[in-house]
Amino acid sequence: MHKEIDVKKSKATYIILIVAFLLWLPFFFVLSQAENDPIIRLITSAIVLVALFTDKYIHEFCHYFVTRALGFECKVKFGLLMSECKVFGTQTYKQVILGSAAPLLYYIPVSVLVLVSNIAVPYKWVFLSVLILWLSSMAGDYQYIYHALSNKDAVFNDNGTVLVISKAQ
């Protein structure tokens, strides 16, 4: 068995991104209309843009640190639309899952802190809209996790945006 999953070419990646965008759009539209002060609207928009811009760096470095902690060499590459963390070495399905789910180690604690904080409720809604986009940035990671769980007896090589699945020796 030899299978390659290219998340750049996968329909599932684009379906996840489109659904997330469609979920996010009403959030952002309602939030932008809820505030009458143009300065607050500008600040809110700036917060969302900064959160989205910095996400790809945080996201990929989460992959980097977790896969390094698992004992693998890896290289992070940032692109305009898609970034990647290439892992050198053969992984088990559990290692693929841990590496792929790594951004949740950032997203979950930040979400909890924001939601239990004393931040005004409208800003919590702004954060939830950002969280939708952050979670959608894991579209390729969800596919890696799915294929790892579906092929527990295989070994995996992660080429950044292509997961190579091979029969274990």
Side-chain angles (χ1 to χ4, degrees), residues 1-167:
M1 172 188 67
H2 181 85
K3 189 169 28 171
E4 292 187 8
I5 310 303
D6 186 341
V7 297
K8 283 184 179 179
K9 296 179 181 173
S10 171
K11 289 180 185 176
T13 301
Y14 296 102
I15 290 169
I16 291 168
L17 293 173
I18 289 167
V19 168
F21 181 74
L22 293 174
L23 286 171
W24 172 78
L25 203 56
F27 261 100
F28 195 70
F29 179 75
V30 169
L31 291 170
S32 66
Q33 300 306 312
E35 182 57 56
N36 292 328
D37 186 348
I39 299 296
I40 299 298
R41 278 190 195 177
L42 183 64
I43 291 170
T44 302
S45 297
I47 290 169
V48 170
L49 289 175
V50 167
L52 294 178
F53 177 75
T54 59
D55 175 59
K56 75 174 169 180
Y57 300 103
I58 294 167
H59 178 113
E60 295 306 330
F61 280 117
C62 286
H63 290 306
Y64 177 84
F65 290 122
V66 169
T67 53
R68 291 287 297 168
L70 291 170
F72 293 96
E73 291 292 323
C74 44
K75 180 181 177 183
V76 176
K77 179 180 166 187
F78 297 103
L80 185 60
L81 295 177
M82 191 174 277
S83 300
E84 62 186 52
C85 181
K86 181 176 181 175
V87 179
F88 300 100
T90 301
Q91 302 174 70
T92 66
Y93 83 96
K94 289 180 182 178
Q95 291 167 325
V96 171
I97 292 169
L98 289 171
S100 298
L104 295 175
L105 295 173
Y106 172 75
Y107 299 153
I108 291 171
V110 168
S111 299
V112 169
L113 287 173
V114 168
L115 295 176
V116 301
S117 71
N118 290 329
I119 296 172
V121 172
Y123 291 107
K124 289 182 182 184
W125 284 103
V126 169
F127 175 76
L128 286 174
S129 76
V130 168
L131 182 61
I132 289 169
L133 295 176
W134 279 355
L135 292 174
S136 72
S137 74
M138 292 181 67
D141 302 320
Y142 299 138
Q143 292 174 72
Y144 274 32
I145 292 168
Y146 169 78
H147 288 286
L149 288 170
S150 300
N151 298 281
K152 291 181 181 179
D153 58 339
V155 292
F156 304 85
N157 288 16
D158 179 359
N159 297 327
T161 58
V162 177
L163 183 67
V164 179
I165 305 169
S166 305
K167 185 175 183 174

